[in-house]
Amino acid sequence: ETGVTQTPRHLVMGMTNKKSLKCEQHLGHNAMYWYKQSAKKPLELMFVYSLEERVENNSVPSRFSPECPNSSHLFLHLHTLQPEDSALYLCASSPGTADYEQYFGPGTRLTVT
Amino acid sequence: GENVEQHPSTLSVQEGDSAVIKCTYSDSASNYFPWYKQELGKGPQLIIDIRSNVGEKKDQRIAVTLNKTAKHFSLHITETQPEDSAVYFCAAPGAGSYQLTFGKGTKLSVIP
């Protein structure tokens, strides 16, 4: 595998479920990001990790919980989501947080019922 | 924080014609301006970027121009092909921030 991969590609979950999204980057980068992409809205940055340490949290509700066990893997744990959380969740990585060139994965299409 | 405006929101061109997408930004300290292409069912792909020390950069059929005085930058695609059809996003970083602020996107349709 090359680049940035995300699993699953599609996820349907009920509001009471708990699920996790996974991201893996094969680029040797040190920074990883979670974005939310909703219809007709700009990409919204959710979290930034640098060398496994969270460096930015953009006022994201606590029902989204990120985890970065190492610089290659990033998770987004989901629980008690709302229908308005349905969106495309994108993971990205960059060489470092001071390097703005971000490379995106294909995303996970999440539907909350 | 940074504010990025992108125009137009949709653009249709005939195959072989040129396409131009424009973005403005608010933070005069911004120094990096990427453009991303997102095809259906895929994540955004970085296609070209420019830093504030140059005014223009070209890569085959695509080019980006930057006017720091006016705080705007543009994507130019020449000799468009059907495979250029996608949503294009511009972005700019805010000063002292890890964040890239993205424009709302332009849906480009190239008509064969």
Side-chain angles (χ1 to χ4, degrees):
Chain A
E1 294 261 26
T2 58
V4 181
T5 58
Q6 290 186 244
T7 54
R9 294 294 310 276
H10 301 272
L11 178 63
V12 179
M13 61 185 288
M15 289 190 285
T16 58
N17 291 160
K18 289 184 180 181
K19 297 286 184 182
S20 295
L21 310 184
K22 179 183 176 182
C23 175
E24 184 173 0
Q25 57 96 1
H26 310 268
L27 300 169
H29 289 169
N30 292 321
M32 296 187 77
Y33 310 77
W34 278 118
Y35 285 87
K36 176 183 179 182
Q37 187 175 37
S38 306
K40 299 184 180 179
K41 292 179 72 175
L43 277 163
E44 300 173 67
L45 180 65
M46 300 175 72
F47 301 105
V48 181
Y49 275 83
S50 176
L51 296 170
E52 303 105 66
E53 180 180 341
R54 192 190 311 178
V55 296
E56 198 142 336
N57 175 347
N58 271 7
S59 303
V60 179
S62 60
R63 57 185 183 269
F64 295 91
S65 175
E67 178 190 1
C68 188
N70 56 62
S71 59
S72 298
H73 293 86
L74 186 64
F75 294 88
L76 188 62
H77 304 298
L78 316 171
H79 63 99
T80 59
L81 294 191
Q82 304 298 311
E84 58 265 29
D85 296 323
S86 298
L88 182 68
Y89 288 85
L90 290 160
C91 173
S93 71
S94 66
T97 51
D99 302 289
Y100 294 117
E101 299 90 344
Q102 294 183 18
Y103 297 86
F104 285 83
T108 294
R109 173 66 62 186
L110 174 67
T111 303
V112 181
T113 61
Chain B
E2 179 72 277
N3 183 42
V4 176
E5 299 285 339
Q6 182 173 346
H7 299 280
S9 56
T10 59
L11 179 61
S12 291
V13 299
Q14 290 291 136
E15 182 177 357
D17 289 349
S18 296
V20 181
I21 304 169
K22 298 181 179 179
C23 285
T24 61
Y25 61 97
S26 60
D27 190 336
S28 56
S30 290
N31 58 3
Y32 173 73
F33 307 92
W35 284 92
Y36 287 84
K37 175 184 181 182
Q38 187 173 22
E39 297 174 285
L40 200 61
K42 297 184 178 180
Q45 177 190 6
L46 179 64
I47 56 171
I48 195 167
D49 55 16
I50 192 168
R51 296 190 182 271
S52 58
N53 57 345
V54 297
E56 184 177 9
K57 183 177 178 181
K58 287 184 179 180
D59 183 3
Q60 299 182 346
R61 294 187 297 107
I62 60 173
V64 55
T65 58
L66 171 64
N67 184 326
K68 281 195 63 79
T69 303
K71 291 191 284 187
H72 67 72
F73 57 111
S74 300
L75 177 70
H76 303 254
I77 306 173
T78 59
E79 301 173 25
T80 53
Q81 300 169 5
E83 52 265 37
D84 295 328
S85 296
V87 179
Y88 292 80
F89 295 93
C90 64
S97 170
Y98 304 120
Q99 295 194 33
L100 281 176
T101 300
F102 286 82
K104 290 188 176 181
T106 296
K107 184 176 181 180
L108 173 65
S109 299
V110 179
I111 304 163

